[in-house]
Each structure stands twice: as structure tokens, then as C-alpha cells.
Amino acid sequence: MTSKNQKSIKLNFIMNAILTLSGFIFPLITFPYVSRILLPAGMGKVAMATSVVAYFALLARLGIPMYGIRACAGVRDDKQALSKMVHELFLINFLMAMVSYALFFGTVFFVPKLAEERLLYIIVSLTIFFEMLGVDWLYRALEEYAYITKCSLAFKVIAVVAMFVLIHEQSDYVVYGSITVLAACGSYLLNFYNLRKHISSSLFDNYNLKQHMTPILVFFATSCAIVIYTQLNTVMLGFLKSPADVGLYDSAMKIKNILVSFVTALGAVLLPRASYYVKNELYDDFARITSKAVQFVCLLAIPLVVYFTIFASDGIYFFSGPRFAGAIVPMQIIMPTVLFIGLTNIIGIQVLVPLGREKDVFYSVLVGGIVDLAVCALLIPGYGVVGAAAANMIAEFSVLVVQLILVAKYKDKVDIIKGLKTVSYSKIVVAIVLAVGASVGCKLLAWHAFFVLALSGTVFFAVYGLCLYVLKEKFLLEILVPVKAKLREKLGL
């Protein structure tokens, strides 16, 4: 049983991988330039504004982004039902955005520390409005990843040009905040314009907002907990320490987030497909794609964690400059979270959400939020950026542990532990050891950080991939076999 609107998982993954790669290239091009002009203090002000606005954006969207993907994916073959669903969710989002803006302006105007940078906060808050218009969850439910990728790339290119043209002095941090909003949300205007291609604009007589509120609020509670332990560290650093400390922490987190987005690229495109399989009780297909996703995450995340832990100093010096040397140790501390988040993305978003177990996801991230709050309160006053990084790492690990315990209840439909056991850990370890041995000597070269990263990265991942191929790692071979077959076909061999 297949949906007439069902897109190729491979095409979706390629498109999302390109989108993810653009998310890697964009800061790789701009951040080294911008960070050297704005310095830790300027970067910290924008990071602080982004973190504060994230709380109001969270209230505005409730749990609609995640719920919308699942709900719309289930009715995507029925245009009338899909249109009514989108109308109802958009109306809820609009009403909550108005409430959120009312609270936001009250906070920005009456909290002295925020009022000092009122213009910056107002500009960054435009993300709330654009997210409401963008209905990005609909396009993901329809698996329109080619469209999403093209639009996002266009605005990222515009933003890259704007960075170099408009940012020249340390006082240009407000301009930087404006451009980051453009890069992240500009495509949402096109989303709204193209909405008529996918849904009917005719109004319905029987809107029922109430039916969505329970699952939306569960997703909202989950999102609250997630935002607490992803943004709380930045906010606490901003209030307890200085903008420079926030800038150092943000520098380490940006590198981590780039890696996380790369590792979670496959899981992002599998949510609508997983939801479709569960809705139609295709549990064998559900278990199969979940197992593949787990293998993909481990095969990619483990070497990334090792490499960027060893070459953290070169990463920070290239990405942010020598003034951000204080971010090296925090970056090394948070590197394991690339693997933790990769796995929780699969367990929580690809398994528990399609199974309708949003509450289990909420319980796991609630634990993470509580752990993060406690560790932040304990460590940030005395250890600053290092304490914030440690809190983030411990919180992400606690989320993973709780999710592994909770998902075990559904092993009749998908056995995550069994999927983890299919990973070729011994082959990965051998390949990593050889890759480290081949590349670690690059640290001795008195070269610019970029060239050290370029050479060491090429050597490390080339040796890693070659070793896995020689050791006949199953998942890698499954990927390469069809690629080799297509190459032979094109070459006429």
C-alpha cells in the first residue's frame, strides 16, 4: 500500500542533505568573517536575543510544527481534509502569535537588560511572524523537500552576500541579527504565496480547533522542555556572566549544531513516511527504516565526535578566530551530544511520535530540562562557559537514557535495542583508530587552521571510509552497491 503523493526517500534524503549541507556551508563562509568583526561581545548579544525570542516563538507555535507534520501526512491524499486541517492549525498559530507578541513587547520594554538592545530584540522577533506564515510543517508533511531546499538555498545566498556587503564594524551586530532572520525565515514568504497550490482557500463551515488542542499541548510541553535545555544555558550565561561568555558558548554550539543537523538529516525526512507506515499498520516497513536510520546515525556521528574532539582548537580558530580560544574546551565537552541527539532524534521523532507516544517524548525532555536547569545553576556561577557546556552534555545524555527505557515498551512494533545491536561497532572502532593514527600528525603542522582542517579531515574520513569498505561494513556496502550499479550502467560497462 502506497500513497499517490509519496516521494522517494532517497530523493528526499538527497534534498535534505543538500539543505543540511547549505546549513553547514552558510556559517562556514560567514561566521569566520562576522565573528572577527563583531568579536565575542557582539556575537553574544545576537545569541542572547535569539535565545530569548526562542521562548516567545515557542509559545506562538505551541506544538504545531511537529503535530502538523504527523496530522497532515495522515490526510495528504484528501485535499479537502488537508485544507481544513491546515486552516485550523494556521488559525491556532495566528491567535497564539498575537498572545506571544503581546507578552514579548511587555518583556522587552520593561526588563532593563533587554530594553538596552530593544531594536535587536524586535528585529529578531520577526521570526515569530514569518514562522506563522510559513506553514513549513505542511510542506514537510507533503515531502516537498526539493521545493524547501531550493527556496532555502536562494535566501541563504542572498544572506551571504548581505553579510559581506553590510557588516564592517563591531556596531553592526543589529544588522547581523537582521540578516540571520532573513536567512532562516525569508523562504517562509514564498511558502505562504505557494500555499494555494496545495490547499483550498475556501472557508469551511465546521472548523473544530478543540480536537487539535490535546496533542498540540503535549507537543508544546515537549518543546518547552527542549527549549529549556537548549536555550537556558545561553540565557543564564547572559544574565549571570557577560555577552563575551555567551559569544564563546555560542561559537562552540554553532559547530555542534552544524554537525547535529548533518547527522539528523535522514531522520528529518523519515517522519512523514514513518507516520504513514504506522497509520496504515505497515510495521515491518516501519521497523526497517528505523533500523537503517540508527545505523546511519552511528556510522556518521561516532567519527564526527572523535574527529572534532581532537581537532577542536583548529575548528574554533578557523570558525571564530583566536579571540574565541575560550570555546575550545566547551566544544570538546559537548561533542558527544552529536551522537546523543542523533539517536534521540530517531527514537523520539521517528519512533515515538508516529506511534502517538508524544507524552513519552515529553517525559524524556522534561527530565533533560530539569537536569540542565540543576546542573546550570550548580556550575555556571563558578565555571561559566565550561559549566554551561557540561550541563548541555549531561542533559542530552539523560534524554537518551530515558527514551531508551520508554521505547522498550513498544518493541513488538519496532525494537530499537535490536537496531542498535545491528551497528558494526567493532569495525567502526578499528576504522576510527586507523583514521586517528593517519590524521593526528596534521596537528603538528604550523599551518593556518583551515589547511589543517582540510588536510586532516580529508585524511581522517578517507581512511575511515576506506577501512569500513575493506572490512565490508554492511550498511556502507548497501549504499554503495546501487551507486556502483548506476555508474556501470551510465558508463556502459
Side-chain angles (χ1 to χ4, degrees):
M1 181 177 180
T2 58
S3 164
K4 65 182 180 181
N5 292 326
Q6 189 160 289
K7 308 292 193 300
S8 163
I9 287 182
K10 289 183 180 179
L11 175 62
N12 288 341
F13 174 67
I14 291 171
M15 288 296 103
N16 202 54
I18 293 173
L19 182 61
T20 301
L21 189 60
S22 73
F24 174 83
I25 294 174
F26 172 63
L28 194 63
I29 294 172
T30 60
F31 199 82
Y33 170 76
V34 174
S35 63
R36 286 165 172 79
I37 293 175
L38 302 185
L39 303 179
M43 299 301 293
K45 289 177 181 178
V46 177
M48 177 71 170
T50 302
S51 295
V52 170
V53 169
Y55 287 98
F56 295 96
L58 170 67
L59 176 62
R61 72 174 79 99
L62 287 180
I64 290 173
M66 194 61 63
Y67 171 72
I69 295 175
R70 191 188 72 180
C72 291
V75 296
R76 64 187 181 186
D77 294 335
D78 184 339
K79 186 173 182 178
Q80 284 295 100
L82 179 64
S83 299
K84 185 170 180 288
M85 179 77 69
V86 174
H87 287 195
E88 290 171 345
L89 295 181
F90 183 85
L91 181 56
I92 295 171
N93 198 177
F94 173 79
L95 294 173
M96 291 309 303
M98 297 304 100
V99 173
S100 180
Y101 265 121
L103 295 173
F104 169 77
F105 282 111
T107 302
V108 168
F109 278 84
F110 292 106
V111 176
K113 195 173 185 69
L114 305 186
E116 293 172 2
E117 300 292 345
R118 188 177 300 157
L119 176 61
L120 174 62
Y121 281 84
I122 291 174
I123 289 173
V124 175
S125 77
L126 288 174
T127 56
I128 299 172
F129 175 73
F130 287 132
E131 282 185 0
M132 177 193 68
L133 288 184
V135 293
D136 188 61
W137 36 270
L138 169 64
Y139 290 89
R140 292 182 183 275
L142 296 175
E143 301 187 50
E144 293 287 345
Y145 286 96
Y147 164 80
I148 294 171
T149 300
K150 291 174 185 176
C151 291
S152 179
L153 285 177
F155 280 93
K156 279 183 169 62
V157 170
I158 294 171
V160 168
V161 174
M163 291 277 189
F164 290 104
V165 171
L166 300 176
I167 299 177
H168 302 292
E169 299 177 359
Q170 190 174 357
S171 59
D172 290 334
Y173 62 89
V174 176
V175 178
Y176 174 60
S178 305
I179 297 174
T180 57
V181 172
L182 173 68
C185 303
S187 61
Y188 291 158
L189 294 174
L190 293 179
N191 283 8
F192 187 73
Y193 177 76
N194 289 313
L195 200 54
R196 67 190 192 281
K197 296 180 181 178
H198 302 288
I199 66 169
S200 170
S201 59
S202 300
L203 299 179
F204 294 84
D205 296 326
N206 55 339
Y207 289 123
N208 182 4
L209 306 186
K210 186 178 179 180
Q211 65 175 323
H212 304 296
M213 294 312 298
T214 298
I216 281 177
L217 289 175
V218 173
F219 278 115
F220 173 61
T222 302
S223 299
C224 285
I226 291 174
V227 169
I228 286 175
Y229 75 80
T230 56
Q231 304 294 339
L232 177 67
N233 307 46
T234 300
V235 174
M236 288 187 69
L237 274 174
F239 278 102
L240 297 177
K241 295 296 181 178
S242 68
D245 288 298
V246 176
L248 294 175
Y249 181 72
D250 184 59
S251 177
M253 290 295 288
K254 269 191 167 57
I255 296 177
K256 185 210 81 169
N257 290 337
I258 290 172
L259 300 178
V260 165
S261 64
F262 201 66
V263 168
T264 58
L266 182 61
V269 304
L270 289 179
L271 174 57
R273 185 64 53 86
S275 298
Y276 182 84
Y277 286 152
V278 171
K279 184 176 179 63
N280 292 281
E281 298 184 358
L282 302 172
Y283 291 114
D284 288 341
D285 291 327
F286 180 51
R288 175 180 53 79
I289 64 169
T290 300
S291 178
K292 298 298 182 187
V294 169
Q295 293 178 60
F296 172 83
V297 165
C298 291
L299 210 63
L300 184 59
I302 296 174
L304 283 174
V305 169
V306 173
Y307 174 80
F308 280 95
T309 299
I310 295 173
F311 290 91
S313 59
D314 300 285
I316 291 294
Y317 288 146
F318 165 67
F319 199 65
S320 305
R323 298 286 290 272
F324 288 77
I328 295 173
V329 173
M331 177 178 163
Q332 291 173 322
I333 291 173
I334 62 175
M335 270 301 104
T337 63
V338 174
L339 175 61
F340 302 157
I341 297 174
L343 292 175
T344 54
N345 180 263
I346 298 299
I347 299 170
I349 306 306
Q350 187 187 312
V351 176
L352 293 174
V353 168
L355 287 172
R357 299 307 307 171
E358 298 88 1
K359 289 184 179 179
D360 286 338
V361 180
F362 167 66
Y363 297 146
S364 67
V365 296
L366 178 62
V367 170
I370 293 172
V371 169
D372 187 62
L373 178 61
V375 179
C376 277
L378 183 66
L379 297 183
I380 286 180
Y383 298 94
V385 183
V386 172
N392 181 263
M393 188 271 292
I394 295 170
E396 295 290 1
F397 180 70
S398 67
V399 173
L400 175 60
V401 171
V402 173
Q403 286 194 0
L404 285 172
I405 294 171
L406 294 175
V407 80
K409 295 183 291 185
Y410 314 107
K411 64 180 180 181
D412 57 319
K413 294 181 175 64
V414 56
D415 192 341
I416 289 294
I417 301 301
K418 182 179 179 181
L420 287 168
K421 289 179 180 178
T422 63
V423 178
S424 306
Y425 296 108
S426 59
K427 294 177 181 179
I428 291 175
V429 170
V430 170
I432 287 177
V433 169
L434 294 175
V436 170
S439 62
V440 73
C442 296
K443 289 186 69 67
L444 301 177
L445 300 173
W447 292 357
H448 186 277
F450 170 77
F451 295 108
V452 173
L453 286 174
L455 178 60
S456 63
T458 300
V459 172
F460 182 95
F461 289 101
V463 171
Y464 175 72
L466 182 61
C467 287
L468 290 180
Y469 181 76
V470 171
L471 294 171
K472 300 187 183 301
E473 201 286 321
K474 186 178 178 181
F475 184 74
L476 179 64
L477 294 181
E478 287 181 6
I479 296 174
L480 293 179
V481 167
V483 173
K484 290 165 65 177
K486 287 184 179 180
L487 284 175
R488 289 196 186 99
E489 182 181 338
K490 289 183 177 181
L491 294 174
L493 300 176

